[in-house]
Structures are given as structure tokens and as C-alpha cells.
Amino acid sequence: MTTKSTWTRARRWATIGAVGAAGVAAAELAVAGGFMVREVLKYPDPVQDGPDPMLAPPTHPMRSSVVGTPDGTLLHVVASGDVEDADEIVVLIHGWTCNTGFWNAQFNHFGSDRPMVAYDQRGHGLSEMGTAAPTTEMLGQDLQAVLEAMIPEGKRAVLVGHSMGGMTIMSWAKQFGAGMEDRVSAIVLCSTAARGVVQRQHLIPEDMPAVAGPGKRVLERTFTSSRLPLPSNSLTEKFSHYVTTGPVARQAHVDFTDEMIASCSPKARGAWGSAMYSLDVLSGLDKVTVPTAVVVGSADLLTPVEHAQEMAKVLSRRGFLYSYNVYEGAGHMVPYERSAEFDALLDDLLSGVSAATGS
């Protein structure tokens, strides 16, 4: 018969074991975090070369409106240009923790000459979060709602997605891509991934001791799913530089990024970060039937080059890879880190589409 003292000893050892396991996990997490901080502190100071005028809010007329989704959530949309002036309308889809201001460089480049639409992803910027838990399927469904509301009959969209925006396009293609060439004329997938985005990032160095492996996995999830408010200060600026831009980055770009991330709703940041942990929209590329450009910065730690190579390989095999573009030294924020080159790519793509359609 088991005595009371035996049960007491068993409970005591179980408690000691649990505390010990928690201590080991905390130590592993601390080691992983320490190695990441080491990399952050090794980054050079940003280049002090003054403001970037391309990041300034557009001065040409912009229209603001809302689009309702099937579940009743309202998405904030901005648009410029006259939709009657072109057969193609550029639709810009930003990434995680960003907002429509992310695309200032592109709105400033095109001005009123090209009809353009951008929207705040659910829970970002001025868009509502809604009551349903975010899913990668929801990304594509929200884009479908925007396309139905903003692209007139007889016009086609050029979809340009950055980071989670590229995932949005692949999610949309997976669900709504049948016959897409009737509604979409071209796609740009920039600094994005089709699967394993959290698990395959390069933010946490690979040269850690093996003992820190479990801590690395915990840190990956914590980094993306945390709902703690983020301030904007000298320390967060260093992390923003490391996480989002290339090693040699302009101070204006680091500041712009840091302020944009800090302004994102912690709830939305954590909820979408959790949703992306199980991301797999690779099969969406099998539905793509229009010219598609793949873009990545060589120093992108969030969605490193291996993701772009994977997507380009699928598209090339199917005959729909328009171009594969690696911007040397750029980080995750290519559309404004390399705005001149990125805008030139959009110009070429749009010209190619117009030539193909005879418009």
C-alpha cells in the first residue's frame, strides 16, 4: 500500500522536476536570445544622409474609403489615379506590422499617372480586426473582397505583395485563382515566403550551441506571436534595423520602419504572427497563370533568399516566371530600401503587360 509520506515525496520530486525543466527551458531561451542580441549589436550604425523624400506622404490627390468583408469587418482602402486611364490597376498589399504608408515610395513614383489601390490588412492601420481568429485563408478572402469592390468590370489588377502581402496573393490564388488571367494581368511577390516563414528565418544565428536549439524554437514563436506593446526608441531602432533592413541602411529607412512597427496594434501583430506559424500557401503558385516577378534582398533575414528561390523555381517550371530579382545588400524592406530599382521593375512589368494586351 502506498503511504501518505510516499505520495508526499513523489509530489515533491515532481515539483522539483517541473521547476528544473522550466529552469532549463528558460536558460535555453536566454542563450538563444543572447545570440540574437549579439548579432543586433554587431550591426553598423545607419547612414546619416538625411530624409528620403520618397517616404513622404503623397501630395497628389488620394481617395480613402472602406471595403466590407464577408464577415462584416471593414478594411481601410486608399486609391489614386483615374481607373478610366488604364486597363490595369496596381493593387498594393503590405506586410505584417505595416500599413498603406509602406507604399509611399510607389505612390510618389507613379503620382496620379497610374491608378493604384492599397489597403490596410485586417487589424493593421485603420482596418478593423474583426472577431474571428486570423487565418492564412482569411488573407486571400480579404483581398478578394477588395478586388471585387475596387476593380471595375473590364479592368484587371496587377497584384504587388510584400511579405505577408505576398502570402496574401498566394492564399488568394489558392482559393480564387481559377481563370485569374481574366482579372489579373501580372503579379509581384516581394520579400515573401510560401511556407515555413517563421521556422526558416535567419534572425537567430545558426552557430549557437546545440543545447540552445529548443530555446531557438521558443524564441521564434515568441518573436512573432507576442502581443506586448512595442515602443519606438533607440533600442527598438537597433532591433528594427537588424530585423527589417540591410546592414548598410539609411537612418531615414530605419526610423520609418521602427515607427511603423510601433504603431501596429499589438493584438493584430501577435494574432497574425501566430497565424503565419502554420503558413503553407505554396500550392497557390500552381494556380498562377500570369507573368510573376519574384523579388528579394540578399540580406533579408525575415524571408531569406531560399524562399524566393523556391517560389521562382515553381513559377519557372510552370512557365510564368517574369523575372527573378535579388537586390544586393537589401534587407526585408526592398520597396523603399531600393525604391528606384523596384519602381523600375514595376514600370517594366506594366509596360510588358500593356504591350502584350495592345493597350
Side-chain angles (χ1 to χ4, degrees):
M1 180 179 292
T2 303
T3 65
K4 182 176 181 180
S5 61
T6 302
W7 279 114
T8 301
R9 286 196 298 271
R11 286 197 299 268
R12 183 182 299 123
W13 282 112
T15 301
I16 292 172
V19 171
V24 170
E28 292 167 344
L29 180 60
V31 171
F35 270 78
M36 182 174 173
V37 170
R38 181 197 67 180
E39 297 302 305
V40 170
L41 296 178
K42 282 167 55 178
Y43 254 43
D45 291 335
V47 177
Q48 305 290 338
D49 62 349
D52 182 352
M54 295 299 287
L55 292 183
T59 57
H60 63 276
M62 302 279 287
R63 303 181 300 280
S64 182
S65 60
V66 295
V67 167
T69 66
D71 69 354
T73 301
L74 298 180
L75 305 178
H76 172 243
V77 180
V78 294
S80 69
D82 188 346
V83 296
E84 301 302 324
D85 287 346
D87 291 328
E88 282 77 36
I89 300 167
V90 177
V91 178
L92 304 166
I93 310 136
H94 71 72
W96 183 52
T97 75
C98 298
N99 54 55
T100 57
F102 176 89
W103 300 108
N104 282 355
Q106 284 63 57
F107 276 111
N108 284 322
H109 170 71
F110 287 104
S112 297
D113 296 335
R114 167 73 60 176
M116 302 178 72
V117 171
Y119 68 97
D120 286 324
Q121 294 266 25
R122 181 179 294 241
H124 293 68
L126 298 178
S127 288
E128 295 179 343
M129 185 68 188
T131 57
T135 64
T136 53
E137 291 76 19
M138 192 181 289
L139 290 171
Q141 293 159 11
D142 285 352
L143 174 56
Q144 175 69 5
V146 171
L147 294 178
E148 289 178 346
M150 302 301 296
I151 307 302
E153 188 73 25
K155 305 289 183 177
R156 295 193 298 172
V158 174
L159 303 179
V160 182
H162 171 261
S163 194
M164 194 171 78
M167 302 167 201
T168 299
I169 294 172
M170 288 180 276
S171 171
W172 173 84
K174 185 177 179 179
Q175 298 174 81
F176 305 100
M180 71 164 58
E181 62 275 8
D182 294 332
R183 297 163 292 159
V184 172
S185 54
I187 292 171
V188 179
L189 299 173
C190 178
S191 308
T192 190
R195 60 181 177 178
V197 60
V198 178
Q199 299 86 343
R200 295 160 68 190
Q201 48 74 31
H202 288 178
L203 294 171
I204 306 169
E206 297 295 328
D207 61 347
M208 294 187 306
V211 69
K216 178 178 182 291
R217 291 190 290 273
V218 173
L219 185 58
E220 289 170 348
R221 295 208 71 154
T222 302
F223 172 79
T224 54
S225 62
S226 171
R227 300 191 180 194
L228 293 175
L230 291 179
S232 180
N233 54 42
S234 59
L235 179 59
T236 61
E237 178 188 293
K238 288 183 179 295
F239 274 88
S240 293
H241 181 185
Y242 173 73
V243 171
T244 64
T245 55
V248 181
R250 299 179 63 178
Q251 183 71 58
H253 294 168
V254 174
D255 289 343
F256 184 79
T257 303
D258 191 53
E259 292 166 7
M260 183 164 51
I261 293 173
S263 70
C264 180
S265 157
K267 177 182 177 181
R269 186 186 70 240
W272 279 114
S274 295
M276 286 190 292
Y277 194 82
S278 58
L279 174 82
D280 188 347
V281 289
L282 187 65
S283 62
L285 295 178
D286 293 332
K287 297 287 188 69
V288 171
T289 54
V290 298
T292 301
V294 176
V295 180
V296 68
S298 69
D300 188 339
L301 300 179
L302 270 175
T303 53
V305 173
E306 65 196 69
H307 290 291
Q309 292 172 336
E310 179 177 59
M311 294 181 295
K313 183 177 180 180
V314 173
L315 291 164
S316 178
R317 184 177 68 242
R318 299 189 58 250
F320 294 106
L321 180 65
Y322 177 81
S323 63
Y324 175 60
N325 312 269
V326 180
Y327 294 105
E328 193 63 34
H332 190 62
M333 304 308 211
V334 165
Y336 54 82
E337 282 187 85
R338 298 290 187 273
S339 62
E341 296 95 325
F342 187 75
D343 291 341
L345 168 65
L346 295 182
D347 287 337
D348 289 343
L349 180 61
L350 289 164
S351 296
V353 168
S354 297
T357 59
S359 58

mmCIF file with all atom_site columns, all heavy atoms in Angstrom, residues 228-248:
data_model
loop_
_atom_site.group_PDB
_atom_site.id
_atom_site.type_symbol
_atom_site.label_atom_id
_atom_site.label_alt_id
_atom_site.label_comp_id
_atom_site.label_asym_id
_atom_site.label_entity_id
_atom_site.label_seq_id
_atom_site.pdbx_PDB_ins_code
_atom_site.Cartn_x
_atom_site.Cartn_y
_atom_site.Cartn_z
_atom_site.occupancy
_atom_site.B_iso_or_equiv
_atom_site.pdbx_formal_charge
_atom_site.auth_seq_id
_atom_site.auth_comp_id
_atom_site.auth_asym_id
_atom_site.auth_atom_id
_atom_site.pdbx_PDB_model_num
ATOM 1   N N   . LEU A 1 228 ? 2.787  42.090 -26.711 1.00 0.00 ? 228 LEU A N   1
ATOM 2   C CA  . LEU A 1 228 ? 3.239  43.199 -25.879 1.00 0.00 ? 228 LEU A CA  1
ATOM 3   C C   . LEU A 1 228 ? 3.362  44.461 -26.719 1.00 0.00 ? 228 LEU A C   1
ATOM 4   O O   . LEU A 1 228 ? 3.808  44.408 -27.874 1.00 0.00 ? 228 LEU A O   1
ATOM 5   C CB  . LEU A 1 228 ? 4.596  42.870 -25.246 1.00 0.00 ? 228 LEU A CB  1
ATOM 6   C CG  . LEU A 1 228 ? 4.610  41.745 -24.203 1.00 0.00 ? 228 LEU A CG  1
ATOM 7   C CD1 . LEU A 1 228 ? 6.052  41.464 -23.766 1.00 0.00 ? 228 LEU A CD1 1
ATOM 8   C CD2 . LEU A 1 228 ? 3.745  42.118 -23.004 1.00 0.00 ? 228 LEU A CD2 1
ATOM 9   N N   . PRO A 1 229 ? 2.993  45.620 -26.189 1.00 0.00 ? 229 PRO A N   1
ATOM 10  C CA  . PRO A 1 229 ? 3.181  46.882 -26.920 1.00 0.00 ? 229 PRO A CA  1
ATOM 11  C C   . PRO A 1 229 ? 4.657  47.110 -27.208 1.00 0.00 ? 229 PRO A C   1
ATOM 12  O O   . PRO A 1 229 ? 5.529  46.755 -26.404 1.00 0.00 ? 229 PRO A O   1
ATOM 13  C CB  . PRO A 1 229 ? 2.631  47.935 -25.951 1.00 0.00 ? 229 PRO A CB  1
ATOM 14  C CG  . PRO A 1 229 ? 1.745  47.180 -25.026 1.00 0.00 ? 229 PRO A CG  1
ATOM 15  C CD  . PRO A 1 229 ? 2.330  45.820 -24.881 1.00 0.00 ? 229 PRO A CD  1
ATOM 16  N N   . LEU A 1 230 ? 4.944  47.683 -28.358 1.00 0.00 ? 230 LEU A N   1
ATOM 17  C CA  . LEU A 1 230 ? 6.326  47.981 -28.725 1.00 0.00 ? 230 LEU A CA  1
ATOM 18  C C   . LEU A 1 230 ? 6.519  49.493 -28.768 1.00 0.00 ? 230 LEU A C   1
ATOM 19  O O   . LEU A 1 230 ? 5.838  50.178 -29.536 1.00 0.00 ? 230 LEU A O   1
ATOM 20  C CB  . LEU A 1 230 ? 6.658  47.385 -30.094 1.00 0.00 ? 230 LEU A CB  1
ATOM 21  C CG  . LEU A 1 230 ? 6.741  45.863 -30.185 1.00 0.00 ? 230 LEU A CG  1
ATOM 22  C CD1 . LEU A 1 230 ? 7.048  45.453 -31.618 1.00 0.00 ? 230 LEU A CD1 1
ATOM 23  C CD2 . LEU A 1 230 ? 7.790  45.307 -29.237 1.00 0.00 ? 230 LEU A CD2 1
ATOM 24  N N   . PRO A 1 231 ? 7.446  50.027 -27.990 1.00 0.00 ? 231 PRO A N   1
ATOM 25  C CA  . PRO A 1 231 ? 7.739  51.454 -28.076 1.00 0.00 ? 231 PRO A CA  1
ATOM 26  C C   . PRO A 1 231 ? 8.610  51.731 -29.297 1.00 0.00 ? 231 PRO A C   1
ATOM 27  O O   . PRO A 1 231 ? 8.988  50.818 -30.033 1.00 0.00 ? 231 PRO A O   1
ATOM 28  C CB  . PRO A 1 231 ? 8.523  51.714 -26.780 1.00 0.00 ? 231 PRO A CB  1
ATOM 29  C CG  . PRO A 1 231 ? 9.229  50.417 -26.531 1.00 0.00 ? 231 PRO A CG  1
ATOM 30  C CD  . PRO A 1 231 ? 8.283  49.339 -26.994 1.00 0.00 ? 231 PRO A CD  1
ATOM 31  N N   . SER A 1 232 ? 8.894  52.975 -29.539 1.00 0.00 ? 232 SER A N   1
ATOM 32  C CA  . SER A 1 232 ? 9.832  53.365 -30.585 1.00 0.00 ? 232 SER A CA  1
ATOM 33  C C   . SER A 1 232 ? 10.918 54.202 -29.926 1.00 0.00 ? 232 SER A C   1
ATOM 34  O O   . SER A 1 232 ? 10.679 55.339 -29.517 1.00 0.00 ? 232 SER A O   1
ATOM 35  C CB  . SER A 1 232 ? 9.126  54.179 -31.689 1.00 0.00 ? 232 SER A CB  1
ATOM 36  O OG  . SER A 1 232 ? 10.043 54.560 -32.696 1.00 0.00 ? 232 SER A OG  1
ATOM 37  N N   . ASN A 1 233 ? 12.100 53.622 -29.760 1.00 0.00 ? 233 ASN A N   1
ATOM 38  C CA  . ASN A 1 233 ? 13.204 54.312 -29.096 1.00 0.00 ? 233 ASN A CA  1
ATOM 39  C C   . ASN A 1 233 ? 14.525 53.817 -29.664 1.00 0.00 ? 233 ASN A C   1
ATOM 40  O O   . ASN A 1 233 ? 14.543 53.053 -30.646 1.00 0.00 ? 233 ASN A O   1
ATOM 41  C CB  . ASN A 1 233 ? 13.137 54.101 -27.571 1.00 0.00 ? 233 ASN A CB  1
ATOM 42  C CG  . ASN A 1 233 ? 13.080 52.628 -27.193 1.00 0.00 ? 233 ASN A CG  1
ATOM 43  O OD1 . ASN A 1 233 ? 13.775 51.801 -27.768 1.00 0.00 ? 233 ASN A OD1 1
ATOM 44  N ND2 . ASN A 1 233 ? 12.227 52.290 -26.227 1.00 0.00 ? 233 ASN A ND2 1
ATOM 45  N N   . SER A 1 234 ? 15.634 54.235 -29.065 1.00 0.00 ? 234 SER A N   1
ATOM 46  C CA  . SER A 1 234 ? 16.946 53.900 -29.602 1.00 0.00 ? 234 SER A CA  1
ATOM 47  C C   . SER A 1 234 ? 17.205 52.395 -29.600 1.00 0.00 ? 234 SER A C   1
ATOM 48  O O   . SER A 1 234 ? 17.878 51.861 -30.489 1.00 0.00 ? 234 SER A O   1
ATOM 49  C CB  . SER A 1 234 ? 18.040 54.622 -28.805 1.00 0.00 ? 234 SER A CB  1
ATOM 50  O OG  . SER A 1 234 ? 17.980 54.264 -27.434 1.00 0.00 ? 234 SER A OG  1
ATOM 51  N N   . LEU A 1 235 ? 16.651 51.677 -28.607 1.00 0.00 ? 235 LEU A N   1
ATOM 52  C CA  . LEU A 1 235 ? 16.859 50.232 -28.546 1.00 0.00 ? 235 LEU A CA  1
ATOM 53  C C   . LEU A 1 235 ? 16.025 49.510 -29.601 1.00 0.00 ? 235 LEU A C   1
ATOM 54  O O   . LEU A 1 235 ? 16.539 48.647 -30.325 1.00 0.00 ? 235 LEU A O   1
ATOM 55  C CB  . LEU A 1 235 ? 16.504 49.714 -27.155 1.00 0.00 ? 235 LEU A CB  1
ATOM 56  C CG  . LEU A 1 235 ? 16.646 48.200 -26.950 1.00 0.00 ? 235 LEU A CG  1
ATOM 57  C CD1 . LEU A 1 235 ? 18.082 47.764 -27.216 1.00 0.00 ? 235 LEU A CD1 1
ATOM 58  C CD2 . LEU A 1 235 ? 16.196 47.793 -25.544 1.00 0.00 ? 235 LEU A CD2 1
ATOM 59  N N   . THR A 1 236 ? 14.736 49.856 -29.694 1.00 0.00 ? 236 THR A N   1
ATOM 60  C CA  . THR A 1 236 ? 13.904 49.212 -30.704 1.00 0.00 ? 236 THR A CA  1
ATOM 61  C C   . THR A 1 236 ? 14.395 49.555 -32.109 1.00 0.00 ? 236 THR A C   1
ATOM 62  O O   . THR A 1 236 ? 14.251 48.757 -33.034 1.00 0.00 ? 236 THR A O   1
ATOM 63  C CB  . THR A 1 236 ? 12.427 49.614 -30.559 1.00 0.00 ? 236 THR A CB  1
ATOM 64  O OG1 . THR A 1 236 ? 12.293 51.034 -30.740 1.00 0.00 ? 236 THR A OG1 1
ATOM 65  C CG2 . THR A 1 236 ? 11.892 49.222 -29.205 1.00 0.00 ? 236 THR A CG2 1
ATOM 66  N N   . GLU A 1 237 ? 14.983 50.734 -32.249 1.00 0.00 ? 237 GLU A N   1
ATOM 67  C CA  . GLU A 1 237 ? 15.545 51.122 -33.553 1.00 0.00 ? 237 GLU A CA  1
ATOM 68  C C   . GLU A 1 237 ? 16.640 50.160 -33.980 1.00 0.00 ? 237 GLU A C   1
ATOM 69  O O   . GLU A 1 237 ? 16.721 49.763 -35.143 1.00 0.00 ? 237 GLU A O   1
ATOM 70  C CB  . GLU A 1 237 ? 16.092 52.545 -33.466 1.00 0.00 ? 237 GLU A CB  1
ATOM 71  C CG  . GLU A 1 237 ? 16.743 53.037 -34.748 1.00 0.00 ? 237 GLU A CG  1
ATOM 72  C CD  . GLU A 1 237 ? 17.424 54.371 -34.552 1.00 0.00 ? 237 GLU A CD  1
ATOM 73  O OE1 . GLU A 1 237 ? 16.712 55.358 -34.309 1.00 0.00 ? 237 GLU A OE1 1
ATOM 74  O OE2 . GLU A 1 237 ? 18.670 54.421 -34.626 1.00 0.00 ? 237 GLU A OE2 1
ATOM 75  N N   . LYS A 1 238 ? 17.482 49.750 -33.035 1.00 0.00 ? 238 LYS A N   1
ATOM 76  C CA  . LYS A 1 238 ? 18.553 48.799 -33.356 1.00 0.00 ? 238 LYS A CA  1
ATOM 77  C C   . LYS A 1 238 ? 17.973 47.467 -33.803 1.00 0.00 ? 238 LYS A C   1
ATOM 78  O O   . LYS A 1 238 ? 18.444 46.852 -34.763 1.00 0.00 ? 238 LYS A O   1
ATOM 79  C CB  . LYS A 1 238 ? 19.469 48.602 -32.143 1.00 0.00 ? 238 LYS A CB  1
ATOM 80  C CG  . LYS A 1 238 ? 20.370 49.787 -31.824 1.00 0.00 ? 238 LYS A CG  1
ATOM 81  C CD  . LYS A 1 238 ? 21.280 49.485 -30.654 1.00 0.00 ? 238 LYS A CD  1
ATOM 82  C CE  . LYS A 1 238 ? 22.204 50.661 -30.343 1.00 0.00 ? 238 LYS A CE  1
ATOM 83  N NZ  . LYS A 1 238 ? 23.153 50.903 -31.459 1.00 0.00 ? 238 LYS A NZ  1
ATOM 84  N N   . PHE A 1 239 ? 16.928 47.009 -33.102 1.00 0.00 ? 239 PHE A N   1
ATOM 85  C CA  . PHE A 1 239 ? 16.296 45.756 -33.483 1.00 0.00 ? 239 PHE A CA  1
ATOM 86  C C   . PHE A 1 239 ? 15.598 45.891 -34.834 1.00 0.00 ? 239 PHE A C   1
ATOM 87  O O   . PHE A 1 239 ? 15.648 44.977 -35.666 1.00 0.00 ? 239 PHE A O   1
ATOM 88  C CB  . PHE A 1 239 ? 15.312 45.310 -32.395 1.00 0.00 ? 239 PHE A CB  1
ATOM 89  C CG  . PHE A 1 239 ? 15.944 44.522 -31.297 1.00 0.00 ? 239 PHE A CG  1
ATOM 90  C CD1 . PHE A 1 239 ? 16.494 45.160 -30.192 1.00 0.00 ? 239 PHE A CD1 1
ATOM 91  C CD2 . PHE A 1 239 ? 16.021 43.140 -31.365 1.00 0.00 ? 239 PHE A CD2 1
ATOM 92  C CE1 . PHE A 1 239 ? 17.094 44.427 -29.173 1.00 0.00 ? 239 PHE A CE1 1
ATOM 93  C CE2 . PHE A 1 239 ? 16.616 42.394 -30.354 1.00 0.00 ? 239 PHE A CE2 1
ATOM 94  C CZ  . PHE A 1 239 ? 17.151 43.041 -29.252 1.00 0.00 ? 239 PHE A CZ  1
ATOM 95  N N   . SER A 1 240 ? 14.924 47.021 -35.075 1.00 0.00 ? 240 SER A N   1
ATOM 96  C CA  . SER A 1 240 ? 14.258 47.232 -36.354 1.00 0.00 ? 240 SER A CA  1
ATOM 97  C C   . SER A 1 240 ? 15.260 47.205 -37.497 1.00 0.00 ? 240 SER A C   1
ATOM 98  O O   . SER A 1 240 ? 14.992 46.641 -38.567 1.00 0.00 ? 240 SER A O   1
ATOM 99  C CB  . SER A 1 240 ? 13.495 48.559 -36.340 1.00 0.00 ? 240 SER A CB  1
ATOM 100 O OG  . SER A 1 240 ? 12.413 48.510 -35.443 1.00 0.00 ? 240 SER A OG  1
ATOM 101 N N   . HIS A 1 241 ? 16.403 47.835 -37.278 1.00 0.00 ? 241 HIS A N   1
ATOM 102 C CA  . HIS A 1 241 ? 17.456 47.828 -38.294 1.00 0.00 ? 241 HIS A CA  1
ATOM 103 C C   . HIS A 1 241 ? 17.867 46.399 -38.607 1.00 0.00 ? 241 HIS A C   1
ATOM 104 O O   . HIS A 1 241 ? 17.914 45.977 -39.772 1.00 0.00 ? 241 HIS A O   1
ATOM 105 C CB  . HIS A 1 241 ? 18.655 48.644 -37.793 1.00 0.00 ? 241 HIS A CB  1
ATOM 106 C CG  . HIS A 1 241 ? 19.785 48.721 -38.769 1.00 0.00 ? 241 HIS A CG  1
ATOM 107 N ND1 . HIS A 1 241 ? 20.988 49.328 -38.459 1.00 0.00 ? 241 HIS A ND1 1
ATOM 108 C CD2 . HIS A 1 241 ? 19.928 48.273 -40.042 1.00 0.00 ? 241 HIS A CD2 1
ATOM 109 C CE1 . HIS A 1 241 ? 21.799 49.245 -39.493 1.00 0.00 ? 241 HIS A CE1 1
ATOM 110 N NE2 . HIS A 1 241 ? 21.178 48.604 -40.463 1.00 0.00 ? 241 HIS A NE2 1
ATOM 111 N N   . TYR A 1 242 ? 18.152 45.627 -37.587 1.00 0.00 ? 242 TYR A N   1
ATOM 112 C CA  . TYR A 1 242 ? 18.623 44.250 -37.772 1.00 0.00 ? 242 TYR A CA  1
ATOM 113 C C   . TYR A 1 242 ? 17.559 43.375 -38.426 1.00 0.00 ? 242 TYR A C   1
ATOM 114 O O   . TYR A 1 242 ? 17.843 42.623 -39.368 1.00 0.00 ? 242 TYR A O   1
ATOM 115 C CB  . TYR A 1 242 ? 19.018 43.671 -36.412 1.00 0.00 ? 242 TYR A CB  1
ATOM 116 C CG  . TYR A 1 242 ? 19.365 42.201 -36.442 1.00 0.00 ? 242 TYR A CG  1
ATOM 117 C CD1 . TYR A 1 242 ? 20.553 41.752 -37.009 1.00 0.00 ? 242 TYR A CD1 1
ATOM 118 C CD2 . TYR A 1 242 ? 18.491 41.255 -35.894 1.00 0.00 ? 242 TYR A CD2 1
ATOM 119 C CE1 . TYR A 1 242 ? 20.859 40.397 -37.037 1.00 0.00 ? 242 TYR A CE1 1
ATOM 120 C CE2 . TYR A 1 242 ? 18.794 39.909 -35.918 1.00 0.00 ? 242 TYR A CE2 1
ATOM 121 C CZ  . TYR A 1 242 ? 19.988 39.486 -36.490 1.00 0.00 ? 242 TYR A CZ  1
ATOM 122 O OH  . TYR A 1 242 ? 20.286 38.150 -36.520 1.00 0.00 ? 242 TYR A OH  1
ATOM 123 N N   . VAL A 1 243 ? 16.339 43.484 -37.942 1.00 0.00 ? 243 VAL A N   1
ATOM 124 C CA  . VAL A 1 243 ? 15.273 42.591 -38.388 1.00 0.00 ? 243 VAL A CA  1
ATOM 125 C C   . VAL A 1 243 ? 14.794 42.918 -39.798 1.00 0.00 ? 243 VAL A C   1
ATOM 126 O O   . VAL A 1 243 ? 14.498 42.009 -40.581 1.00 0.00 ? 243 VAL A O   1
ATOM 127 C CB  . VAL A 1 243 ? 14.084 42.636 -37.405 1.00 0.00 ? 243 VAL A CB  1
ATOM 128 C CG1 . VAL A 1 243 ? 12.875 41.887 -37.957 1.00 0.00 ? 243 VAL A CG1 1
ATOM 129 C CG2 . VAL A 1 243 ? 14.488 42.051 -36.052 1.00 0.00 ? 243 VAL A CG2 1
ATOM 130 N N   . THR A 1 244 ? 14.732 44.197 -40.159 1.00 0.00 ? 244 THR A N   1
ATOM 131 C CA  . THR A 1 244 ? 13.994 44.568 -41.372 1.00 0.00 ? 244 THR A CA  1
ATOM 132 C C   . THR A 1 244 ? 14.825 45.141 -42.510 1.00 0.00 ? 244 THR A C   1
ATOM 133 O O   . THR A 1 244 ? 14.405 45.038 -43.667 1.00 0.00 ? 244 THR A O   1
ATOM 134 C CB  . THR A 1 244 ? 12.897 45.593 -41.040 1.00 0.00 ? 244 THR A CB  1
ATOM 135 O OG1 . THR A 1 244 ? 13.506 46.801 -40.561 1.00 0.00 ? 244 THR A OG1 1
ATOM 136 C CG2 . THR A 1 244 ? 11.951 45.069 -39.979 1.00 0.00 ? 244 THR A CG2 1
ATOM 137 N N   . THR A 1 245 ? 15.941 45.785 -42.236 1.00 0.00 ? 245 THR A N   1
ATOM 138 C CA  . THR A 1 245 ? 16.702 46.411 -43.320 1.00 0.00 ? 245 THR A CA  1
ATOM 139 C C   . THR A 1 245 ? 18.093 45.801 -43.410 1.00 0.00 ? 245 THR A C   1
ATOM 140 O O   . THR A 1 245 ? 18.545 45.112 -42.504 1.00 0.00 ? 245 THR A O   1
ATOM 141 C CB  . THR A 1 245 ? 16.817 47.936 -43.110 1.00 0.00 ? 245 THR A CB  1
ATOM 142 O OG1 . THR A 1 245 ? 17.381 48.189 -41.821 1.00 0.00 ? 245 THR A OG1 1
ATOM 143 C CG2 . THR A 1 245 ? 15.446 48.591 -43.176 1.00 0.00 ? 245 THR A CG2 1
ATOM 144 N N   . GLY A 1 246 ? 18.766 46.063 -44.517 1.00 0.00 ? 246 GLY A N   1
ATOM 145 C CA  . GLY A 1 246 ? 20.104 45.529 -44.700 1.00 0.00 ? 246 GLY A CA  1
ATOM 146 C C   . GLY A 1 246 ? 21.103 46.151 -43.744 1.00 0.00 ? 246 GLY A C   1
ATOM 147 O O   . GLY A 1 246 ? 20.835 47.184 -43.119 1.00 0.00 ? 246 GLY A O   1
ATOM 148 N N   . PRO A 1 247 ? 22.286 45.547 -43.612 1.00 0.00 ? 247 PRO A N   1
ATOM 149 C CA  . PRO A 1 247 ? 23.299 46.066 -42.684 1.00 0.00 ? 247 PRO A CA  1
ATOM 150 C C   . PRO A 1 247 ? 23.646 47.525 -42.953 1.00 0.00 ? 247 PRO A C   1
ATOM 151 O O   . PRO A 1 247 ? 23.782 48.318 -42.019 1.00 0.00 ? 247 PRO A O   1
ATOM 152 C CB  . PRO A 1 247 ? 24.505 45.149 -42.922 1.00 0.00 ? 247 PRO A CB  1
ATOM 153 C CG  . PRO A 1 247 ? 23.914 43.886 -43.455 1.00 0.00 ? 247 PRO A CG  1
ATOM 154 C CD  . PRO A 1 247 ? 22.733 44.307 -44.278 1.00 0.00 ? 247 PRO A CD  1
ATOM 155 N N   . VAL A 1 248 ? 23.814 47.884 -44.214 1.00 0.00 ? 248 VAL A N   1
ATOM 156 C CA  . VAL A 1 248 ? 24.105 49.276 -44.572 1.00 0.00 ? 248 VAL A CA  1
ATOM 157 C C   . VAL A 1 248 ? 22.774 49.928 -44.953 1.00 0.00 ? 248 VAL A C   1
ATOM 158 O O   . VAL A 1 248 ? 22.336 49.868 -46.105 1.00 0.00 ? 248 VAL A O   1
ATOM 159 C CB  . VAL A 1 248 ? 25.111 49.366 -45.734 1.00 0.00 ? 248 VAL A CB  1
ATOM 160 C CG1 . VAL A 1 248 ? 25.409 50.830 -46.053 1.00 0.00 ? 248 VAL A CG1 1
ATOM 161 C CG2 . VAL A 1 248 ? 26.396 48.626 -45.394 1.00 0.00 ? 248 VAL A CG2 1
#
